[in-house]
Each structure stands twice: as structure tokens, then as C-alpha cells.
Amino acid sequence: LSISDPDAPAAPPAPTSDLAGVAARALVVDDNALIRRLVSQVLAGAGFAVDAVSSIDAALQLEPAGYQVLIIDVRLGAERGTDLVEMLRRSNPLLPNRCLLMTGGLGDSLPADVAVLVKPFDPDDLVAAVLSLHPLAARNRPA
Amino acid sequence: MTAPRGACPPSGADLATAGPATAEVHHLLRLLVTLQEREHRHLAELLHDGPMQEFTAVLLALGRMRKIVTGDVAHQLSAIETQLLHTVQSLQRPPSPFRPGNDARTMIETALLQWVDGMLADTLDIDIDVEARSPSPAELPVLVAVVQLLLLTSEPTGRAAQVTVAVRSDAATDALTLTLRAAPGNPGIDDTEARASQLRRLAHAVGAQVECDPHSGAWRATLHLPAPPGQPAASSGAGSVT
């Protein structure tokens, strides 16, 4: 299990894509460095190989289609996480099924077919929401 | 609809005749509500971008700590998490009344609950029947702002004791009628005349009529909004104000 965050110099390198292996891959997209790190740590503790980025451009460079789950903050500074979801949808209509949008409950207009996790949440809420997206991730979860 | 507590039936003796509300005045009312909406959104964004992120981080950190401790410490951490979560949830700003997707009835009710109940009125009753014609996006903020401004004029520093807001549409004429009844707060203060005078001035400006009971201080205001020109019956859908 590993966590990769380009904005955190001390982070270990990104894991290789290994869909046949034990670790499902999760991509965290959040512009808040502390949230990004904590979410990544929680997911790594739940058995995921985690990459974390702070922007849509950085997420697209990691080829999001290669991840089993994508945890995306709705508000990414001036960007919107929902824009990333729509970009993914255009490339593959099934990709939004792998996305989990984190929102502060501002009444943002959110796509109806994408899972949502409302802030504040605790680690159990996060893991439960992510596992509900991908059965493979649930099977691979450490006992 | 029942009369507010302490109010006498309108006598007509203190009836102020409404002047023609200008389009400019109603435009100002729409700007006023838009400003409220803007502030509402700004505060929500400040809360989201600041404290909500920090609280989420604290909850995640506490949750991780709880996983590595046992026994009583774990229970205490869990209790702290729960208390913090409930506290933060109580700080969440409610969604905007005029968010897209809300129908006109929901918009009016939500706006009154957020911007009148508890702020301008101790007790608020809402009675809305706009089946015949739904208020247009231009009319919604006018209805809400007239309620707010009349109540603020009646109670410049406090809250009315009992307020009833009724909005009805007339199937025959497509007109909308807002009826606002209020029993003032601070019944021991004899400011009925001054209140009535101020209410008359404002009602005249916004195109409403107001009746004041000189004995109880209770008052009733009525605002009629005719059907928009060329607007067929029941065709004015609600939409975003801003």
C-alpha cells in the first residue's frame, strides 16, 4: 500500500497499476493539502493504493480511467470537481460510477448519478462510501 | 386563516390607500433579495472553504487516532467525534431558497423560514395557495421583500409576536395577493401611532395597503400583483432569482 501526493515532497512514489493485484487504486483530488493527506491515509489504511492530486489537470495526467475509485472535492479552488466528472463521462460514460464527490453541502448542483459524501465526515463514513463504489475494493480490504 | 393574537378585525378607519408601486421600487426589492442571496452564498462559501475543511480534517485525524487506541480512550475519542460532528452539522447553512429546482411555493416558504421566522417574527404561520398561477421569478423576491420590510418597519429592533403570511393566486384574474398580518412585540410600549405612520409610508412606496388597529397595534397589509401582461394563466414557472 502506498500514497503518492505530488504536492507532498516526503510522500512515497506512486504505486504501479496492478489491477490483477490485491490493491485497488484510488485517486484523491482535493486542493486542501491537509484533507488530501488525511483522506489518502485513511484509504491507504483501508487497503487502497492511493494517489493524490490538487487539481483537475494533475488528475488528468494520471489517467483517471486506471483507478477503481476517484474521490473528488466539488470545490477545487476556482475549479469544480464536477467538471472533472463530466470530462471523465465524455471519455467513458461508466467512469462517473467510480467517482465520489465530497461537498460541504452548499447546494451545489451535482450530477444525480454520482455518489456524494457530505462534509464533515469521519474515516468510517469515507471508507464506507468508497467501498460502496467498488466491490473489488471491498474484497481486497484488509481484515 | 385566523386573525393574529391580539388583533381586532380590520375596521377600515385606519386604512391607508396604496399608491401605484413603480417598477423601479419593485426592481429595488428584487435587488435587495438578490443581495441577501449573494450574502447567503458568500457566507456558505466562507464556511465551506474555512471551518468546514478544518473540522473535516479534525474528524479524520480523530478517527485515525481512535483506530490505534483501545478501551476507555477509544470510547472517549468516539464521543468527542460524535459531539464534534453534531456541532458542525448544526453550523451548516441551509440551501438557498431560490435554488434552481425549487418550485415557487418552496421558494417562498423557505425564504420566509430563513429570513423571517425567528428573525422578524417570534411565531410565523405560512399559508400559500398558488395553484392557479405560480409567481414568476420577478414576483417572488417582491413578495418576500415586502414581508421583510414591513415587519422590519413595524419592529425596528425586535420581532413581531405573531405573523401570518398568506399568498394566493386568483384563477379568474391570474392576480397574486399577499396578505400579511402581524401582532407587534413589546406590547407594553405604546408606539402604535408611530408604527402605523411608518407602515403607511412603506406600504405606499411598495404598492401595498395597510390597516392598523389603534387599540392592539396589530396590523394587516395587502399587496396585489396583477397578472404580467400577455401572461397566460398558470404559465409563470418559478426560477432562479439571481
Side-chain angles (χ1 to χ4, degrees):
Chain A
L1 305 180
S2 62
I3 302 172
S4 173
D5 184 343
D7 298 329
T16 55
S17 177
D18 183 10
L19 295 180
V22 292
R25 299 180 71 206
L27 176 60
V28 178
V29 187
D30 196 319
D31 64 324
N32 183 297
L34 182 57
I35 300 285
R36 191 168 64 241
R37 178 169 61 83
L38 286 165
V39 167
S40 298
Q41 289 173 341
V42 168
L43 294 179
F48 291 87
V50 185
D51 288 330
V53 295
S54 60
S55 68
I56 291 177
D57 277 349
L60 293 174
Q61 289 174 11
L62 292 180
E63 299 183 7
Y67 291 84
Q68 282 71 57
V69 289
L70 299 98
I71 301 91
I72 304 166
D73 192 27
V74 172
R75 291 176 176 257
L76 300 167
E79 298 180 315
R80 288 291 176 268
T82 48
D83 291 340
L84 174 57
V85 173
E86 295 313 309
M87 291 176 194
L88 298 176
R89 188 193 304 278
R90 283 195 289 274
S91 66
N92 180 346
L94 296 179
L95 279 182
N97 296 339
R98 305 185 199 173
C99 295
L100 175 66
L101 286 168
M102 298 184 292
T103 176
L106 293 174
D108 290 310
S109 181
L110 303 177
D113 60 345
V114 178
V116 174
L117 182 60
V118 178
K119 295 176 183 175
F121 51 79
D122 65 20
D124 294 337
D125 297 329
L126 172 63
V127 171
V130 171
L131 291 181
S132 69
L133 289 178
H134 201 269
L136 175 63
R139 283 201 302 270
N140 290 335
R141 191 182 182 194
Chain B
M1 180 169 54
T2 58
R5 186 181 63 229
C8 294
S11 65
D14 193 17
L15 179 68
T17 302
T22 64
E24 286 77 12
V25 171
H26 283 195
H27 178 63
L28 286 176
L29 297 181
R30 283 190 283 274
L31 286 178
L32 177 72
V33 172
T34 300
L35 187 62
Q36 284 183 294
E37 280 276 281
R38 192 77 64 88
E39 183 195 31
H40 179 99
R41 198 176 307 148
H42 179 61
L43 288 174
E45 288 175 355
L46 286 178
L47 181 63
H48 173 271
D49 294 338
M52 199 61 72
Q53 301 281 15
E54 303 303 323
F55 282 130
T56 299
V58 170
L59 277 169
L60 287 170
L62 284 173
R64 294 192 71 231
M65 290 174 61
R66 176 166 45 82
K67 301 287 186 188
I68 59 176
V69 298
T70 57
D72 194 43
V73 176
H75 286 300
Q76 289 182 34
L77 277 178
S78 180
I80 292 171
E81 284 179 76
T82 302
Q83 186 176 3
L84 180 60
L85 186 63
H86 290 164
T87 300
V88 176
Q89 286 172 338
S90 72
L91 294 176
Q92 296 265 27
R93 301 284 298 169
S96 164
F98 299 106
R99 64 186 301 188
N102 282 353
D103 60 21
R105 179 192 180 95
T106 302
M107 288 183 180
I108 296 172
E109 285 182 341
T110 307
L112 294 175
L113 290 172
Q114 287 187 17
W115 297 334
V116 173
D117 191 28
M119 187 169 80
L120 295 169
D122 284 336
T123 304
L124 173 66
D125 292 322
I126 303 171
D127 181 8
I128 299 173
D129 182 358
V130 290
E131 290 298 315
R133 181 174 76 82
S134 181
S136 72
E139 291 169 323
L140 284 164
V142 172
L143 294 168
V144 173
V146 164
V147 172
Q148 291 179 284
L149 292 181
L150 284 168
L151 288 172
L152 185 61
T153 299
S154 174
E155 310 293 327
T157 60
R159 296 185 295 268
Q162 173 82 35
V163 172
T164 301
V165 178
V167 181
R168 301 202 176 283
S169 56
D170 187 310
T173 65
D174 264 357
L176 294 171
T177 301
L178 164 72
T179 306
L180 170 62
R181 299 172 187 266
N186 298 319
I189 300 176
D190 185 15
D191 56 356
T192 304
E193 275 305 310
R195 176 188 297 113
S197 175
Q198 294 296 322
L199 284 171
R200 283 193 208 98
R201 290 179 60 190
L202 178 63
H204 182 82
V206 301
Q209 291 181 313
V210 63
E211 301 169 44
C212 300
D213 183 339
H215 304 295
S216 68
W219 53 271
R220 183 181 75 172
T222 307
L223 175 71
H224 293 287
L225 295 176
Q231 190 75 54
S235 64
S236 299
S240 176
V241 168
T242 52

